[in-house]
Amino acid sequence: MSDDGTTSAGKRCHSDELARILSHSWSDPTATLLVFSVRPAVSCELYVERLRALISAAVMIARDVNFDDDSEIALDSLPEWFRVMSDAVSAEGSSNYLIADLGDIWDPAEWIYCFDPDLRAWTWWDVTVRADGVAVWIDTLGEPHVPHGELLWALYVSGADRVDLPYAEDAAVWVDETDIESGPD
């Protein structure tokens, strides 16, 4: 165990997840993944860029902090547009989240605690492009229902017009999806 309380396996898991966030996954997934169908209010490319920036920053913070420590967690590495809702895209996404009646607006300092590895029941798997938007795939180790409110918030404020609630999908379907770097056929 390291000085920060993490194991080498824990750091490897974060490293694997970060690699999948930043680029299309080429790993073999578990048999079943959860998928969110997202209709972005901006281009799919901009949406994915914003979402990857936000989730990767959160995973890096989670990798580097001790959530059991009472000190305040530094949020500087989260995108500014997320921390202060400083642009039209995040403001519109926040409004769309409220319209969807998914709960209250999340404070970034509270939101980041949902990335505590001891609490988070999902890991990022991939994002793929579809004719009507994008699909965000998460690995829940086969669990059909996991807490995911923090992810819904991230999906909306990254620029979603609409997010369908997740459903379980066989990993074989993900294999046939179009990765964002290739674009739709």
Side-chain angles (χ1 to χ4, degrees):
M1 187 173 291
S2 68
D3 292 339
D4 66 1
T6 61
T7 64
S8 60
K11 287 193 182 276
R12 188 186 76 250
C13 289
H14 285 298
S15 175
D16 293 346
E17 183 178 24
L18 279 170
R20 290 191 310 266
I21 293 168
L22 298 173
S23 181
H24 178 69
S25 179
W26 300 106
S27 303
D28 290 329
T30 57
T32 303
L33 298 168
L34 286 187
V35 61
F36 295 79
S37 295
V38 180
R39 177 165 292 148
V42 295
S43 73
C44 289
E45 293 78 13
L46 177 59
Y47 179 79
V48 169
E49 178 183 317
R50 289 170 61 94
L51 182 61
R52 283 180 169 163
L54 177 56
I55 300 297
S56 64
V59 169
M60 285 189 270
I61 289 171
R63 175 192 65 192
D64 296 339
V65 303
N66 180 353
F67 285 96
D68 295 328
D69 186 0
D70 287 338
S71 65
E72 192 173 308
I73 295 173
L75 303 175
D76 323 9
S77 59
L78 293 172
E80 181 179 4
W81 57 260
F82 176 77
R83 292 190 322 267
V84 296
M85 296 292 144
S86 61
D87 65 2
V89 174
S90 55
E92 180 180 354
S94 175
S95 293
N96 292 338
Y97 178 87
L98 293 172
I99 290 167
D101 199 25
L102 296 171
D104 294 330
I105 290 174
W106 287 71
D107 178 87
E110 294 172 3
W111 179 83
I112 197 62
Y113 275 92
C114 294
F115 283 82
D116 179 339
D118 292 335
L119 301 177
R120 189 164 57 117
W122 59 271
T123 59
W124 177 277
W125 190 258
D126 201 5
V127 60
T128 56
V129 65
R130 294 180 166 172
D132 62 344
V134 300
V136 175
W137 302 78
I138 62 171
D139 187 353
T140 62
L141 299 177
E143 292 295 326
H145 303 287
V146 296
H148 57 267
E150 72 282 2
L151 181 57
L152 281 171
W153 177 247
L155 294 171
Y156 272 100
V157 299
S158 293
D161 181 47
R162 191 188 83 228
V163 179
D164 294 337
L165 292 178
Y167 57 92
E169 187 67 84
D170 190 272
V173 173
W174 164 77
V175 171
D176 292 332
E177 291 274 322
T178 305
D179 68 79
I180 194 73
E181 285 84 14
S182 300
D185 293 335

